[in-house]
Amino acid sequence: MEKNVTIVDIAKKTGLSVATVSRVLNRQTSVKEETRKKVLDAAEELGYQANYLARSLGTSTSNMIGMLIPDIRTPFYGRIFSVCERRALRKGYVLALCNSFNSLKLETHFYTHLLAQHACGIVQIGGSLDRQTIPPQLYSQIKSTAEKIPVITSVPVKNTDCRCIYVDNARSMRTLLEYLIGLGHRRIAFVGGRSDVWSTVEKRRTYSEVLKECGIAQQLICEGNYGKEDGYFAVKNLLRRGETFTAVVAVTDTCAMGVMQALSESGLQCGKDVSVVSFDNTYIAEMLEPELTSVSTDYEILGKMIIDTMIDMIEKKETKDIYDVPLMFSVRASCERI
């Protein structure tokens, strides 16, 4: 039978006292960073698993951070959760996945549930936060929760104790458009996304602003959703109406899949006849043929910012909102110069 790894085993491996190892694993701040790293590295190597239930029974909180996302099956949210989970584990925390499936009722339920489970913090990304106005019941739940434990959100929540780590959608859209315009494109369609979603509204506003700045009068905005079928039917409808365009900006990589399929079925070659770019820069972008030019936040840096800010909040250190997450722009074969 495999022996459970204890703090005694970690102490033996590191040459440190059991008391020092215990202070590190219990997140006490009176430990040198070099010592903390030595203990955490040894714990990871030995496969140490803390007894989080026992710890939460003995204290008012646990090592668990709750993370609310709309749907883990979406590549964008799956990637964010994955990098945050790795960072949390590295820091001695467990990240609990809470899938809301875009249900406001589930989102408010998770706040109550995580408090009952002695979570030491909550992160919410997307979902009802992405509406142009945060629903009153969610706002009330966030505000009251943030008075008890740290809360991080993906948009500013006014008059609360939350911290916001914000992805700049306007900067991402500007990056894509300036790249396409630099290649000579002047007839650019923006496909997918709903007008009641704040991130999409920001992208559309920036789309219009950049085209006007460049003296481009034609604007083609196709509302829809965020999936493959939305990109597919949007392009089919544009072609059926006789619209002319040389480039498409898709609202997600998944949406771009449908865009590229519709172009192919219509006898147009992506990257040759029509250039295609998108948002999110997930694994899908590299699986498509041709590979897809895409922009996103730098996921690794974003995950580090989220978890490190949360831990600082838990440890009652000074923190601030973050609005300058770096971008990751990957140019691939889906675009060509006119």
Side-chain angles (χ1 to χ4, degrees):
M1 183 175 179
E2 189 174 332
K3 176 181 177 292
N4 286 333
V5 177
T6 69
I7 62 173
V8 175
D9 298 312
I10 299 172
K12 287 179 180 178
K13 183 171 181 62
T14 58
L16 300 168
S17 68
V18 171
T20 298
V21 172
S22 178
R23 285 201 301 274
V24 171
L25 296 177
N26 282 288
R27 312 190 308 275
Q28 293 182 22
T29 57
S30 58
V31 182
K32 292 181 179 179
E33 188 57 36
E34 180 183 352
T35 302
R36 187 186 306 279
K37 183 178 186 304
K38 188 175 183 179
V39 170
L40 293 176
D41 286 345
E44 184 176 3
E45 182 180 340
L46 293 171
Y48 173 75
Q49 292 182 321
N51 189 337
Y52 299 109
L53 176 59
R55 181 174 295 169
S56 66
L57 290 172
T59 64
S60 60
T61 61
S62 67
N63 272 39
M64 179 181 68
I65 298 169
M67 188 168 198
L68 279 67
I69 59 174
D71 196 336
I72 192 67
R73 296 170 297 180
T74 304
F76 173 74
Y77 291 112
R79 180 74 183 278
I80 290 177
F81 181 82
S82 176
V83 296
C84 286
E85 184 176 37
R86 287 201 307 272
R87 184 68 179 176
L89 289 170
R90 180 69 184 80
K91 291 288 188 175
Y93 289 80
V94 169
L95 200 61
L97 171 64
C98 300
N99 262 319
S100 71
F101 300 103
N102 287 299
S103 164
L104 174 60
K105 184 177 180 180
L106 270 178
E107 288 172 358
T108 55
H109 162 76
F110 279 134
Y111 277 92
T112 303
H113 175 74
L114 288 166
L115 278 174
Q117 295 298 313
H118 302 292
C120 56
I122 297 176
V123 178
Q124 182 173 3
I125 297 177
S128 297
L129 287 178
D130 235 355
R131 299 186 188 180
Q132 292 206 58
T133 302
I134 298 174
Q137 55 268 56
L138 179 61
Y139 175 84
S140 175
Q141 190 73 64
I142 291 172
K143 183 175 175 62
S144 63
T145 301
E147 293 169 355
K148 302 177 181 72
I149 60 174
V151 176
I152 292 176
T153 57
S154 56
V155 299
V157 184
K158 295 180 179 179
N159 302 316
T160 70
D161 295 325
C162 296
R163 282 287 172 260
C164 171
I165 298 182
Y166 179 78
V167 174
D168 193 339
N169 297 292
R171 184 155 52 105
S172 294
M173 174 60 89
R174 186 171 287 274
T175 297
L176 291 177
L177 288 174
E178 288 178 351
Y179 175 68
L180 289 173
I181 292 168
L183 292 177
H185 294 280
R186 294 295 182 272
R187 299 188 299 277
I188 305 169
F190 180 32
V191 167
R194 302 198 315 266
S195 58
D196 62 339
V197 173
W198 176 246
S199 57
T200 300
V201 171
E202 280 191 308
K203 290 171 183 174
R204 288 182 184 169
R205 182 171 60 237
T206 307
Y207 168 86
S208 298
E209 287 175 357
V210 174
L211 293 191
K212 287 177 182 177
E213 288 169 10
C214 295
I216 300 172
Q218 184 189 44
Q219 295 186 21
L220 290 173
I221 297 178
C222 304
E223 186 161 347
N225 219 306
Y226 300 87
K228 178 181 177 181
E229 65 278 6
D230 300 289
Y232 178 85
F233 287 114
V235 169
K236 285 288 188 178
N237 287 335
L238 286 173
L239 294 172
R240 189 178 300 115
R241 291 185 345 229
E243 300 284 1
T244 58
F245 53 94
T246 63
V248 175
V249 178
V251 74
T252 64
D253 292 342
T254 309
C255 181
M257 292 173 65
V259 169
M260 293 169 71
Q261 181 181 343
L263 291 173
S264 178
E265 289 181 4
S266 303
L268 297 170
Q269 189 174 352
C270 176
K272 298 289 185 182
D273 302 307
V274 179
S275 292
V276 180
V277 299
S278 70
F279 295 89
D280 294 350
N281 216 351
T282 63
Y283 65 87
I284 289 174
E286 296 180 282
M287 292 174 61
L288 294 171
E289 181 58 43
E291 292 187 358
L292 180 64
T293 294
S294 189
V295 67
S296 71
T297 180
D298 187 311
Y299 290 101
E300 296 296 331
I301 294 177
L302 176 62
K304 182 178 185 299
M305 287 177 168
I306 290 172
I307 297 303
D308 289 2
T309 300
M310 173 56 72
I311 293 173
D312 284 347
M313 293 173 73
I314 291 168
E315 296 178 352
K316 302 189 184 305
K317 296 179 181 178
E318 186 176 347
T319 58
K320 61 180 181 179
D321 295 337
I322 298 175
Y323 291 89
D324 56 350
V325 184
L327 294 183
M328 183 168 57
F329 180 43
S330 299
V331 175
R332 303 187 178 96
S334 64
C335 299
E336 278 200 5
R337 181 176 297 278
I338 288 183

